[in-house]
Amino acid sequence: MSDAWNDIQALKNRQSNLRAKMLERRKQREGLAAELTSSGSAPSIVPVTSAQSASNELLPAPPVSKSLISSSRSISPAPAKNEASKESTKIDPEVEKKMLMALCDITLDLPSDSKVIAEHASRYMEREVDLILVEKLLRKFASQKLISIEVKENAEGLVVNSLDLSKLNSMTSQNKKRKKDSDDEEDEDTGSKQLKTATGPESGDIESLLSMQSTKEREEKKLNEEIQALLVTQTAKERNLVEKFKSRGGPQLQEFCQYRTKEECQRLGPTGTQCKRLHFRKIIRLHTDESLGDCSFLNTCFHVDTCKYVHYEIDYLSQKHLPSTDLMKKELSLGKMPSTEGSGDGGVQMFPPQWIQCDLRYFDMSVLGKCAVVMADPPWDIHMELPYGTMGDSEMRRLDIPGLQDDGFIFLWVTGRAMELGRECLELWGYKRVDEIIWVKTNQLQRIIRTGRTGHWLNHGKEHCLVGVKGNPKGVNKGMDCDVIVAEVRATSHKPDEIYGIIERLSPGTRKVELFGRPHNVQPNWITLGNQLEGVRLKDPDIVKLFREKYPDGNCMGPPKDKEKR
């Protein structure tokens, strides 16, 4: 290491000595030029070769003859006019850079003529810029497609109509980088370049030696790679969880084609291959006007029979593209069969879907006992016209939610002004908000919707599900799912089915209750409550016994009879 350090120091000393010699020669040349200028003639600069530069160090500067001076006087006036014309048409890089900065200025209004742009450039240059030079630069930028210009009769000079800010900004940054590089190399001339060429292999060897990893660094890198490999490797518990929640029979999903219809896929897609993804087929009726384009609401449109816009349906090519019904029936049968699988709260027996038609404002929640998960999609009063009845804020606060749980989770769907009210209710019911799930809504064509039916100021394209916790739940699987659901919008207030999978993986094999449910919400291992369900269906013997004691006639759509008598 000491040898390398000595070599570096020797190289730096040689470079400093050479730089000092170069400065001394430069001063000599400047003195000679000053003498010639004072005598009334412009000196001609002759390139100095390496041999001449070496000889100049040893020999004194030769005297300048009067005949040479007089000849230079007689020759110089002839090309003066040409030199002046060249200087007037020559583009100064500094002016070009300031012109780019002036075009990027946010105070510049478009369209602007060349005179206005020249004023902006003069402000940046802190001196007046020639209008002819500005127009020449504008034509150059137009040829590079940085701006668009035109010549108008009533305008002064050229008029800039539009400009490409991204390209202009990149050009400005490149100029700054070039300036920085040129400043770093300003003191380097022919002698230093020759020195670099002579000492290039030596300096390259030193740099390669310094860039080599030491034994300690290689060992640390190897250790870090081993630690990273261990961190990304699944543990036995994680592999067991993945296998436990893995779909039986493999995934039963198919991707939609990005080209939407089969015709568009054949026209724009890759040739020579048959697309195996699902496509859509246009629904064209007598009243459909294809020139109007697609319907904003597609399959959720309330006026499909009279809507003149284009609607779609899935184009199943053959029966083999349909989901396997046998595997789906097997999957459902596994969920409907009673199970005695142990869970975190002492082993709960699982049952087929159960539901109770009731008015939740008056229903006695103690009939259901304790559960591990509660999910609710309340009919919040969001101050908008909705196709269903709503509940007031005070009625929501008085719901007997605390009686359902001592330890567990709650999933509360909120939107609009209910986002603040939902947080208030969670705190009132004894829960702590710990997370939030976002449902990003897509339409039938799997595009993000932009015409949501809710929202006062902006169209809502998403909904929120607040996650609260109470007590200390047992048997919880943390970190298995993401907090974002991207799913298609269906009927009004129909939440995505993916939420049931997230809840089951979080708290597997436990009793779960859904409030304000409808017929499409009933699920195995869930008890669904709501006033839009049909009758009562209970399979759990304990709940059946408590329900018959509390509601002998099976009617729980109104307040209890003892309250009515009072």
Side-chain angles (χ1 to χ4, degrees):
M1 188 66 185
S2 59
D3 295 338
W5 175 257
N6 294 332
D7 294 339
I8 293 173
Q9 294 298 322
L11 179 61
K12 287 184 177 179
N13 293 332
R14 287 197 297 271
Q15 289 180 346
S16 60
N17 294 334
L18 182 62
R19 191 172 289 110
K21 292 179 181 180
M22 290 189 318
L23 291 174
E24 184 179 353
R25 289 200 303 272
R26 184 177 297 174
K27 290 180 180 178
Q28 293 177 359
R29 289 197 298 269
E30 290 176 354
L32 179 61
E35 292 177 2
L36 293 175
T37 305
S38 61
S39 61
S41 63
S44 59
I45 300 174
V46 181
V48 181
T49 61
S50 60
Q52 291 173 346
S53 63
S55 62
N56 288 338
E57 295 178 7
L58 303 175
L59 299 177
V64 182
S65 62
K66 294 183 178 179
S67 60
L68 179 61
I69 297 175
S70 60
S71 62
S72 62
R73 286 180 181 175
S74 60
I75 294 171
S76 57
K81 186 176 181 180
N82 295 333
E83 290 294 333
S85 61
K86 287 182 181 179
E87 288 180 359
S88 62
T89 57
K90 184 179 178 181
I91 297 176
D92 188 359
E94 187 68 20
V95 177
E96 183 176 358
K97 185 184 74 171
K98 298 299 182 182
M99 273 284 295
L100 290 171
M101 295 173 64
L103 290 173
C104 294
D105 193 351
I106 59 175
T107 61
L108 181 65
D109 297 328
L110 296 181
S112 294
D113 55 24
S114 55
K115 187 176 181 181
V116 176
I117 297 173
E119 293 177 357
H120 279 71
S122 300
R123 195 180 308 121
Y124 278 96
M125 289 290 296
E126 297 181 355
R127 62 179 177 83
E128 188 176 355
V129 181
D130 188 10
L131 183 61
I132 299 175
L133 180 59
V134 170
E135 292 182 351
K136 186 174 182 181
L137 285 171
L138 290 177
R139 290 190 179 92
K140 178 182 177 182
F141 296 156
S143 64
Q144 296 174 351
K145 296 183 179 181
L146 301 177
I147 60 174
S148 63
I149 61 174
E150 64 176 340
V151 181
K152 293 185 178 180
E153 296 179 358
N154 55 354
E156 298 183 3
L158 302 177
V159 177
V160 178
N161 292 324
S162 62
L163 47 86
D164 192 336
L165 277 177
S166 60
K167 291 183 179 180
L168 287 171
N169 288 327
S170 64
M171 290 284 291
T172 306
S173 61
Q174 288 177 5
N175 288 335
K176 290 180 179 179
K177 185 177 180 182
R178 291 195 193 104
K179 182 180 179 182
K180 183 179 179 182
D181 295 341
S182 63
D183 291 342
D184 293 339
E185 298 176 357
E186 185 177 1
D187 296 333
E188 304 294 334
D189 62 351
T190 309
S192 63
K193 289 179 181 178
Q194 291 176 356
L195 178 64
K196 284 184 180 180
T197 306
T199 60
E202 182 181 354
S203 61
D205 293 340
I206 296 172
E207 291 178 359
S208 62
L209 179 63
L210 293 175
S211 62
M212 289 178 60
Q213 287 184 337
S214 64
T215 305
K216 183 179 179 181
E217 290 174 341
R218 286 195 295 268
E219 291 295 331
E220 289 180 352
K221 182 179 179 182
K222 183 178 179 181
L223 181 61
N224 291 333
E225 291 176 352
E226 292 177 356
I227 293 173
Q228 186 66 23
L230 288 174
L231 291 175
V232 299
T233 304
Q234 287 184 330
T235 63
K237 182 179 179 181
E238 290 173 341
R239 288 195 297 270
N240 186 29
L241 283 175
V242 171
E243 190 64 28
K244 179 179 179 180
F245 295 108
K246 188 176 180 180
S247 298
R248 296 166 178 81
Q252 304 301 315
L253 300 175
Q254 275 191 287
E255 294 183 13
F256 286 99
C257 181
Q258 59 178 335
Y259 300 108
R260 190 178 303 178
T261 62
K262 183 178 177 182
E263 293 76 13
E264 290 293 317
C265 182
Q266 292 175 351
R267 186 172 65 88
L268 301 175
T271 58
T273 58
Q274 183 178 3
C275 184
K276 297 182 180 180
R277 295 182 174 90
L278 283 177
H279 298 87
F280 291 96
R281 179 172 57 236
K282 290 184 178 181
I283 301 176
I284 306 298
R285 296 186 175 89
L286 295 176
H287 59 269
T288 303
D289 186 358
E290 290 193 66
S291 62
L292 298 176
D294 299 341
C295 177
S296 299
F297 299 101
L298 295 171
N299 59 335
T300 61
C301 180
F302 292 151
H303 311 286
V304 177
D305 296 333
T306 58
C307 183
K308 294 183 179 182
Y309 292 87
V310 178
H311 293 79
Y312 292 85
E313 62 181 357
I314 296 178
D315 184 12
Y316 291 108
L317 299 178
S318 61
Q319 189 68 21
K320 66 181 181 179
H321 289 281
L322 289 168
S324 176
T325 55
D326 295 336
L327 291 173
M328 293 177 67
K329 289 178 180 178
K330 181 180 178 182
E331 189 84 14
L332 290 174
S333 64
L334 290 170
K336 291 181 179 179
M337 291 179 62
S339 171
T340 57
E341 182 181 358
S343 65
D345 54 356
V348 178
Q349 186 176 5
M350 298 293 103
F351 294 93
Q354 304 178 80
W355 62 83
I356 301 174
Q357 184 184 20
C358 62
D359 190 336
L360 286 168
R361 293 176 296 179
Y362 312 112
F363 185 73
D364 187 358
M365 299 290 187
S366 62
V367 171
L368 305 177
K370 302 297 180 180
C371 61
V373 178
V374 175
M375 183 170 69
D377 183 18
W380 303 101
D381 183 9
I382 58 175
H383 299 170
M384 293 188 68
E385 185 178 350
L386 299 171
Y388 52 82
T390 60
M391 290 177 59
D393 297 353
S394 59
E395 292 177 322
M396 291 299 305
R397 295 187 184 98
R398 287 197 301 266
L399 287 176
D400 188 21
I401 304 295
L404 287 172
Q405 284 182 318
D406 293 329
D407 301 282
F409 296 94
I410 185 170
F411 290 77
L412 185 64
W413 288 98
V414 293
T415 185
R417 64 175 291 271
M419 295 180 66
E420 288 75 20
L421 180 59
R423 286 173 168 81
E424 179 187 343
C425 289
L426 286 182
E427 185 177 357
L428 184 64
W429 296 335
Y431 292 91
K432 177 185 177 182
R433 191 191 71 84
V434 294
D435 226 320
E436 184 173 337
I437 297 175
I438 306 297
W439 171 29
V440 180
K441 299 180 179 180
T442 60
N443 60 20
Q444 182 187 15
L445 301 179
Q446 310 307 305
R447 307 292 193 270
I448 295 177
I449 65 169
R450 304 185 182 277
T451 54
R453 289 193 173 100
T454 59
H456 289 280
W457 308 103
L458 299 174
N459 288 326
H460 290 177
K462 60 179 175 54
E463 284 194 34
H464 301 253
C465 182
L466 304 178
V467 182
V469 65
K470 184 179 183 182
N472 186 22
K474 305 295 184 182
V476 177
N477 297 322
K478 297 181 180 180
M480 288 200 65
D481 285 281
C482 179
D483 61 350
V484 178
I485 299 174
V486 181
E488 181 180 338
V489 174
R490 292 173 289 184
T492 302
S493 192
H494 193 159
K495 298 303 183 285
D497 295 335
E498 288 82 352
I499 189 67
Y500 295 103
I502 292 175
I503 294 174
E504 185 61 34
R505 288 186 288 272
L506 176 67
S507 179
T510 56
R511 180 180 293 164
K512 302 172 181 67
V513 173
E514 181 171 4
L515 308 179
F516 303 101
R518 292 184 290 174
H520 63 259
N521 294 119
V522 297
Q523 299 282 331
N525 309 333
W526 283 76
I527 304 173
T528 308
L529 308 180
N531 61 359
Q532 297 184 30
L533 298 168
E534 297 180 2
V536 178
R537 182 190 180 188
L538 296 173
K539 296 295 183 181
D540 189 338
D542 298 333
I543 298 178
V544 171
K545 180 181 178 181
L546 293 173
F547 182 81
R548 285 177 178 173
E549 292 176 357
K550 189 69 177 179
Y551 301 97
D553 57 352
N555 182 16
C556 44
M557 287 296 294
K561 293 182 179 180
D562 54 352
K563 289 186 179 181
E564 291 180 355
K565 291 178 181 180
R566 293 177 186 175

